[in-house]
Amino acid sequence: MAGSEGSSGGSDAGTSGLRHWVFLDGNRWLITAVVCVAVFAVTRGLVALGVLAVGPSGNVPTVFGSGITSGVFTLVTLTLTVNQLVSSQVFGKPDSLRQRYEKGARLRDRVAELSGRSTVPVDTADFVAVVGEALDDRADSLRGSRQGTASADAGGAGDLATLASDLGDFADRIARVSGEMKPVEAISATAGSDYARFRRRVRAETAGAELSDPVADDLDAVEELLGHLSVARQYFKTLALHQELAKLSREIIYLSVPCLLVAVSVPLLYRSNGAAVPEPALPWVISAAVAVVLAPLVVLVVRLLRVSTVMRYTVSTGPFAPPEDWPWNE
């Protein structure tokens, strides 16, 4: 029984790791290549079984000459739409751009003040790490406080110590975020509802309690830093997703040219009395052509799979909790 349970646990862990790789960490080009190879293999198998007809009497020229060609042009149009979506987020009038800059500068200055630094990093991931370090410092200050409340209430002091310990663990995880990490890894490290739940616990700790001035100052700083962490995380997610969508547009453009060439060339292989390639090679050629023309669609799917996963589980910017479970834990 124990061995069976261990085997089941290992299988679940392996499945979870595979799903995590497919949804987030996996190289999008590698996943695209694997899917295209699978499409080639399935198509070749169906041709061998006689399910698909690729001979001169089949409908291959019509499918490639009209349907697939129009589909590629549709993907190119979609790419232009995605580019417009990304571009619309960075364009603006001078007044609105100045307001964005000033708000960002105030946020940086305030975090520098709360963290006791003269400056903070310009890299967004490193900025998130600075917020984590500031939270860790405040947690250490709360943990080292000998007098949790002015009334010396044992229960209140215990709750404060627990909060400080939990906050320190959370801050350590956030502080490990760095600009050297992949954007998706950094987003994954900061995802979840911990910041909102800690904010609620801080509010509960300060409500109606007689706190010493140092403890009250630390708790106020923690609450403010948690809000700044939420904003910084969402901003970092916005930058990362903009880059992801920009990569998607570029990759579809790269693949559209060879796909159009293949879609136009395949009908030209067929003649009224046969095909331009030997009949034994025709199934292999058509199977490869199907895999090539579907490559832009596969790229679109695997890129949007990552984008939609990140957006779903980092939806909250305020003091509300987004979903806790990632898809591989559901």
Side-chain angles (χ1 to χ4, degrees):
M1 292 292 293
S4 176
E5 291 177 357
S7 176
S8 176
S11 176
D12 291 342
T15 303
S16 175
L18 177 61
R19 296 180 68 187
H20 188 284
W21 184 82
V22 171
F23 275 95
L24 280 181
D25 291 344
N27 184 287
R28 301 295 100 178
W29 280 109
L30 177 58
I31 297 176
T32 299
V34 170
V35 173
C36 288
V37 170
V39 169
F40 170 81
V42 170
T43 304
R44 184 64 185 88
L46 293 176
V47 172
L49 293 174
V51 178
L52 298 179
V54 298
S57 60
N59 295 323
V60 173
T62 303
V63 172
F64 276 84
S66 58
I68 292 181
T69 302
S70 62
V72 173
F73 278 111
T74 301
L75 277 178
V76 173
T77 303
L78 177 61
T79 300
L80 295 177
T81 304
V82 172
N83 272 326
Q84 290 177 351
L85 174 64
V86 175
S87 300
S88 65
Q89 303 298 317
V90 297
F91 293 153
K93 297 180 179 179
D95 289 342
S96 62
L97 295 176
R98 187 181 301 109
Q99 289 177 1
R100 292 183 193 176
Y101 173 81
E102 291 175 352
K103 291 179 180 179
R106 286 198 296 269
L107 174 64
R108 288 172 49 82
D109 292 342
R110 184 56 182 159
V111 170
E113 180 181 349
L114 291 172
S115 61
R117 296 168 176 257
S118 57
T119 59
V120 291
V122 295
D123 183 86
T124 309
D126 291 334
F127 178 81
V128 170
V130 167
V131 177
E133 293 173 2
L135 284 171
D136 193 32
D137 292 340
R138 297 290 179 171
D140 289 340
S141 178
L142 290 172
R143 195 182 295 116
S145 178
R146 297 183 179 181
Q147 187 175 5
T149 61
S151 59
D153 178 69
D159 292 341
L160 186 62
T162 302
L163 171 62
S165 178
D166 294 342
L167 181 63
D169 295 338
F170 170 70
D172 287 340
R173 176 162 58 88
I174 300 300
R176 286 196 293 269
V177 175
S178 71
E180 297 178 356
M181 300 173 65
K182 295 180 180 178
V184 172
E185 294 176 350
I187 293 173
S188 179
T190 59
S193 58
D194 288 340
Y195 71 93
R197 301 186 188 282
F198 275 117
R199 187 176 185 276
R200 179 189 59 80
R201 290 176 64 181
V202 170
R203 282 293 183 92
E205 192 68 35
T206 57
E210 296 182 6
L211 302 173
S212 61
D213 290 340
V215 171
D217 291 342
D218 285 335
L219 290 176
D220 289 341
V222 166
E223 183 177 0
E224 186 174 352
L225 285 169
L226 289 172
H228 295 328
L229 174 62
S230 173
V231 173
R233 186 190 74 166
Q234 291 298 110
Y235 183 67
F236 182 62
K237 181 193 75 173
T238 301
L239 293 179
L241 292 186
H242 280 181
Q243 292 178 345
E244 196 76 12
L245 292 174
K247 290 179 182 178
L248 169 63
S249 301
R250 185 176 60 186
E251 289 166 358
I252 290 180
I253 291 174
Y254 287 162
L255 292 174
S256 295
V257 174
C259 286
L260 281 174
L261 292 176
V262 171
V264 171
S265 300
V266 167
L268 299 178
L269 297 177
Y270 288 84
R271 311 289 172 79
S272 58
N273 58 348
V277 297
E279 187 173 347
L282 194 58
W284 297 96
V285 172
I286 300 304
S287 299
V290 170
V292 171
V293 297
L294 288 181
L297 179 61
V298 176
V299 168
L300 176 67
V301 170
V302 298
R303 283 287 180 192
L304 291 185
L305 183 64
R306 173 186 281 176
V307 169
S308 60
T309 301
V310 171
M311 291 182 65
R312 179 184 176 188
Y313 293 95
T314 56
V315 294
S316 179
T317 57
F320 297 98
E324 286 187 336
D325 290 336
W326 288 86
W328 40 89
N329 293 331
E330 293 178 349

